[in-house]
Amino acid sequence: MSIAEPNTGPPAWRLLLGYVRPHRWTLLAGALLSLATGAAGLALPLVARGLIDDLSHDRTITGALVLMSALVVTNAALGGLGSYVLRRTAESVVLGARQELSSYLLRLRIPAVDRTEPGDLMARVTSDTTLLREVTTDSLVGLGTGGLTLVATIVMMGLVDPVLLGVTLAVIVAAGTVLGVIVPRINKASRRAQDAVGVMGASLERVLGALRTIKASGAEHREEQRLHEAAEESWRQSVRAAKWAAAAGNTAGLAMQIAFITVLAVGGARVATGAVEVGTLVAFLLYVFYLMSPIQQVVGAITQYQTGAAALTRIQEALALPAEPSSAQPAPLPATDAEPAALAFDEVRFRYADDLPYVHHGVTFAVPPRGMTAFVGPSGAGKTTVFSLIERFYDPESGVITVDGRDTSDWDLTELRSAIGYVEQDAPVLSGSLRDNLLLGSPEADEDAVTRVVKTTRLDGLVDRLPRGLDTLVGHRGTKLSGGERQRVAIARALLRHPRLLLLDEATSQLDAVNEAALRDTVADVARTTTVLVVAHRLSTVTMADRIVVMDAGRVRAVGTHRELVAGDPLYAELAATQFLATTG
């Protein structure tokens, strides 16, 4: 599902100012250059009036022509420089927003990620932040410089002829009334268009993340229809926003044309009666022409602000999602001779959401430092959830989880996770090189350590076969590796961290018998110096564990060795009988 939190945060203009504040001085410089451009333009009608007066009185016009040429060149130079400064500042605002949002998304709590669509979050980082570029230059600066230029132009028009100014203002006020009706509709349509982009991104991410399954199921046409519907909804809302934006722009343009015709008629009558000179009328008409630019700038700023406000609201919604506390820098990894960790669960109750059933119903067990502890039981018993709670991806609803006698909620999160090596059930591999994946959690590891762990996890044969060895790219989500190779990469990555507590969730499920046996020996060797927790459905991987925790329906029903549990727990005996008929017989 997409984010659907109500917008109760600060107004959009305050959010925009927050992004702009670090760049306020360069933004001010760009605004001043724009104002200087406007000032140079405002002087042109006065110079033109003087030129006409000189012509009517047979005076030389050389000085006026030189001055007009200088003003035109100055206007162009200042305008170009100001445009560059403003656009560069706008790009810096977009950069800051993207860095802040992407950093925040990396710290999101897992429950918040569970409730959102990754594609929608990606749209907020990409398309929504892009809109800040226009809203910074066109809206914030445009409204300021355009507004000041508009006021200055009106003042100059008042100095030239107050009567004609009154005629012009009457037309502008009428147009402003119409715009007051149009602008809210732009905001509404823009927000819906951005939401539709988020839905489309979520749909695309959903399809690409399971493309093989979709192809194998023959579901391309159904998913294609879903994507097309999302794209069409985005198109409809964008067209609606464009329609109202066009109406706003045309209203402003129409108002200026009406103002020009009205001024020409009234001004012509005043020239005919001798109330004003022809030069005055020409100067005023030039100001009417010049008035079109700041009015369109202000209208464009208001229109663009509505689009930007919708994007800012969506960005703020993402920044309001629950996140983990940030840390200035990652905690150092444990030393190679660090003491293994002890772990205990005490009456832990947990469920993934308030409207879902409990996964754990008072889970209690203790794991001493060093050795291997295995968790077995039927699917849905809550085994993998144990690991998620240890990593503090989730917090228990009640009960206590301790590591080294300290409640995990009292640990600094980065310190806690730096002590843990975790191999997930699906053993994800990231796009990049094999070396990048191995060093993901321990970038400072030296070449000797990498070589040792590659040999330990039997990846050395793979490395020898790859065209560029460890520097070979593994493809998106490790598509160039087999399932067993991805599992061994994940295990090697965890071992490089020298964890005090190693969590292996179905870490051998995709390995063949030979590699499983080799890895079982490796894990047994690691268990001599660290605390190893293993979740397994295949009991062949855990029969030699120091203790086995049998879970069923969110509870711990028995703890013991393989031999003790075969004799004393019916559920474990049934699992063993299914997988080890010769042993149990």
Side-chain angles (χ1 to χ4, degrees), residues 24 53 79 103 124 136 150 180 199 201 225 254 284 315 320 349 355 421 423 480 483-484 512 537 547:
R24 57 188 179 276
D53 289 341
S103 296
R124 294 172 194 250
T136 300
L150 179 62
V199 172
Q225 185 63 30
L254 180 61
F284 197 92
I315 293 171
R349 289 172 58 83
D355 57 345
V423 178
K480 296 181 181 179
D512 57 66
H537 282 107
R547 69 199 56 79

Side-chain angles (χ1 to χ4, degrees), residues 464-512:
D464 292 339
R465 291 195 306 272
L466 292 175
R468 296 180 58 195
L470 287 172
D471 296 315
T472 303
L473 300 180
V474 297
H476 178 60
R477 297 184 179 179
T479 52
K480 296 181 181 179
L481 304 177
S482 69
E485 288 166 347
R486 287 197 295 272
Q487 281 193 321
R488 279 179 279 163
V489 169
I491 294 168
R493 183 167 57 209
L495 292 178
L496 264 179
R497 292 169 61 84
H498 303 297
R500 299 177 56 221
L501 179 62
L502 179 61
L503 311 179
L504 303 175
D505 190 357
E506 293 288 346
T508 62
S509 61
Q510 299 188 55
L511 299 183
D512 57 66

Side-chain angles (χ1 to χ4, degrees), residues 264-295:
L264 185 60
V266 175
R270 287 172 62 76
V271 169
T273 59
V276 294
E277 297 291 333
V278 174
T280 299
L281 177 60
V282 171
F284 197 92
L285 288 173
L286 287 175
Y287 275 124
V288 172
F289 271 118
Y290 193 77
L291 195 64
M292 293 180 68
S293 178
I295 285 183

Side-chain angles (χ1 to χ4, degrees), residues 3 15 19 92-109 113 116-132 194 198 310-324 326:
I3 302 172
L15 297 174
Y19 287 115
S92 299
V93 170
V94 172
L95 173 64
R98 285 177 175 168
Q99 288 177 333
E100 179 191 21
L101 186 54
S102 57
S103 296
Y104 191 84
L105 293 183
L106 286 174
R107 300 198 309 272
L108 286 181
R109 291 187 59 80
V113 177
T116 57
E117 293 282 0
D120 183 53
L121 293 177
M122 289 168 59
R124 294 172 194 250
V125 176
T126 54
S127 63
D128 287 342
T129 55
T130 300
L131 292 175
L132 295 182
Q194 288 305 110
L312 283 164
T313 299
R314 283 172 48 81
I315 293 171
Q316 189 63 21
E317 286 173 354
L319 292 173
L321 291 172
E324 296 172 345
S326 61

